[in-house]
Amino acid sequence: MDLVIRGARVVDGTGGPSYTADVGVHEGRIAEIGRIRSGGRHTVDAYGLALAPGFVDMHAHSDLALLRDPDHSAKAAQGVTLEVLGQDGLSYAPVDDRTLAEVRAAVTGWNGAGEDIAFDWRDVGGYLDRLDRTGIAVNAAYLVPQGTVRAYALGWEDRPATAAELDRMRTLVAEGLAQGAVGMSSGLTYTPGMYASGAELTELCRVVGSYGGYYCPHHRSYGRGALAAYAEMVALAREAGCALHLAHATMNFAENEGRAAELLALLDAALAAGADISLDSYPYTPGCTTLVALLPSWANEGGPRAVLARLGDDAESERIRYALEVTGADGCHGVPVDWSTIEIAGTADPALGSYVGTRLRDWEGARRLLLADRLGPTVLQHVGHEENVRAIMRHPVHTGGSDGILQGAKPHPRAYGTFPHYLGHYVRELGVLSLEECVAHLTGRPAARLRLADRGLVRAGYRADLVLFDADTVAAGSTYENPRVLPSGIPHVLIDGRFVMRDGRRTQVLAGRSVRRAPYRGR
């Protein structure tokens, strides 16, 4: 054996009872589980530690962070061994030069402007190849971003696609899946993805389903129209014959306090009727997004330059204010904005850093900051409800996703703390889930959604993507005040049998690689 892990409490990712065993690793895979009498080149004494499959972050925004930050301790230290990128309908492939420039400007708040990145790819395969050439800290899968595809095919206009444009989008989605994407994402409160009709999305989902991928929508509302928006996605995916994975599934804003049961009843009815549905969530109440995303969709039409022009026009600015504060903008989920809930988490321009950690007072303050930072600010939106968070994470099709935005001076603590927060706070302290259940939510279940035949379980022959943690002490270190603190109680993390964390410290190993969709032979 290359490595023998002795005396671990094996929590294998199935949800079944844990057990004590030795685990042997050879040539990057789990070779033996049980009582291993032979030695190994290396040995880890795991008595008192739990051994689980590496955690899968089903909703990550590390699209550029993996390229710019070889350390990537924000995720590696949590025990994450695989992230799913290309989320919320906006990422960097497939693109042409025009679309790339527009997307970079639109999501500066998520990933930075990217001046430090050589964008030497244009398609999905090229991006995945670039991850492999660069060498990355953890594994990465990718979703074709529907908003980027729409921007590529017809720009940032709020209009139906022509037949030719729809054909072009179908082709772009098919090419991305053929090149290894695991599915397609949407951001249906973000432009230009939100301009797509249900019929348009259904046609693209037919392509996704034909490749065995899944549709991952950030749907049209998490606020006033949340239940209707969830129902739309369920019906759409069923009509298209496509698996559905609901992104950061929650019920936010005052309108939805205590209403998680209604969402879960909707999902249970669809599951009972044969729908293929899963979801992810993060174990916190505030959301995180860009400040510009809160604006009404018509204010974002035409792309970032057009938005800045409208913000600079007093009459247009007043229209935006009225939509935000009085009628409820679709970008703010149909709910009139409560500025006291909006906290600045980061700015693209370091000179504006004094805004970080402050709450906005009114539209004029938000407008000035958007103009000064050229749409760069990220925000925390304090609109969630704890009882909804707990109810949703208990559901059998639930998985874990951080939705972690690593950009900004004061990011959401979920970026550094999601997985240990599940294990420490919700398992050990509150008992919302058992340890075995929680590990299954973070490992075996997401691996099944991704159709990964050899990841997500502690099983002989599977890849040795493993995490060793102390179930009695594991905890998130990140807080709202100090969000970049690493967790405690996770001494060892391995990818393909190589230590990326050892004795609680990041090694120099770059064991990650792109994880591409396996060929699909139908149901």
Side-chain angles (χ1 to χ4, degrees), residues 260-261 263-269 271 277-279 281 388-399 432-433 437 441 445:
L263 165 62
L264 300 179
L266 168 69
L267 300 183
D268 286 340
L271 289 163
I277 301 174
S278 55
L279 57 87
S281 75
N388 287 347
V389 170
R390 296 186 193 187
I392 290 167
M393 73 171 64
R394 291 188 185 103
H395 197 274
V397 301
H398 169 266
T399 67
V432 174
L433 295 167
E437 287 173 324
H441 286 224
R445 190 166 301 150

Side-chain angles (χ1 to χ4, degrees), residues 9-311:
R9 175 188 177 183
V10 178
V11 188
D12 66 6
T14 65
S18 57
Y19 56 91
T20 300
D22 304 333
V23 175
V25 175
H26 187 64
E27 295 184 349
R29 293 186 178 269
I30 299 169
E32 188 175 347
I33 303 169
R35 187 176 179 185
I36 301 176
R37 298 184 182 277
S38 60
R41 292 191 184 92
H42 302 281
T43 301
V44 171
D45 180 351
Y47 295 95
L49 297 178
L51 173 67
F55 304 137
V56 179
D57 189 341
M58 286 295 286
H59 194 103
H61 287 284
S62 304
D63 306 48
L64 299 186
L66 278 170
L67 295 173
R68 67 162 59 98
D69 178 19
D71 182 76
H72 205 50
S73 288
K75 295 299 180 68
Q78 294 185 60
V80 171
T81 59
L82 172 60
E83 298 183 280
V84 184
L85 312 177
Q87 299 286 350
D88 293 328
L90 288 168
S91 190
Y92 306 95
V95 292
D96 56 11
D97 291 349
R98 170 190 61 80
T99 308
L100 175 61
E102 292 168 345
V103 169
R104 286 177 61 183
V107 295
T108 293
W110 292 356
N111 299 309
E115 290 101 339
D116 55 337
I117 303 294
F119 288 90
D120 55 358
W121 69 86
R122 291 296 181 269
D123 60 9
V124 170
Y127 174 68
L128 297 176
D129 289 344
R130 173 63 187 281
L131 294 176
D132 290 338
R133 289 198 311 273
T134 299
I136 53 178
V138 304
N139 296 313
Y142 189 77
L143 296 163
V144 178
Q146 171 259 331
T148 299
V149 166
R150 197 173 209 271
Y152 193 165
L154 66 143
W156 297 67
E157 301 174 38
D158 183 1
R159 64 171 177 80
T162 66
E165 290 164 343
L166 183 57
D167 281 344
R168 179 63 173 141
M169 286 190 280
R170 287 194 193 97
T171 298
L172 290 168
V173 171
E175 289 174 347
L177 289 158
Q179 292 165 10
V182 295
M184 181 181 77
S185 74
S186 284
L188 300 179
T189 66
Y190 301 130
T191 56
M194 69 190 307
Y195 299 142
S197 67
E200 180 180 310
L201 295 170
T202 300
E203 288 304 307
L204 299 183
C205 284
R206 293 188 198 281
V207 177
V208 176
S210 72
Y211 279 84
Y214 67 91
Y215 181 41
C216 180
H218 163 134
H219 50 273
R220 297 192 192 274
S221 176
Y222 290 82
R224 181 174 290 166
L227 285 173
Y230 280 115
E232 179 196 11
M233 295 298 100
V234 169
L236 185 156
R238 295 200 69 189
E239 181 179 352
C242 180
L244 177 67
H245 180 84
L246 296 165
H248 38 61
T250 189
M251 296 285 285
N252 287 338
F253 301 92
E255 288 85 343
N256 293 314
E257 185 172 2
R259 299 184 68 190
E262 296 175 59
L263 165 62
L264 300 179
L266 168 69
L267 300 183
D268 286 340
L271 289 163
D276 184 356
I277 301 174
S278 55
L279 57 87
D280 65 66
S281 75
Y282 47 83
Y284 299 88
T285 52
C288 181
T289 188
T290 57
L291 181 56
V292 68
L294 305 183
L295 273 55
S297 56
W298 57 260
N300 280 285
E301 186 177 4
R305 289 184 181 179
V307 179
L308 289 167
R310 290 187 183 99
L311 290 171

Side-chain angles (χ1 to χ4, degrees), residues 293-330:
L294 305 183
L295 273 55
S297 56
W298 57 260
N300 280 285
E301 186 177 4
R305 289 184 181 179
V307 179
L308 289 167
R310 290 187 183 99
L311 290 171
D313 182 281
D314 288 344
E316 290 290 274
S317 174
E318 172 56 22
R319 287 184 65 208
I320 295 170
R321 183 204 66 79
Y322 190 85
L324 279 168
E325 296 182 351
V326 180
T327 62
D330 47 6

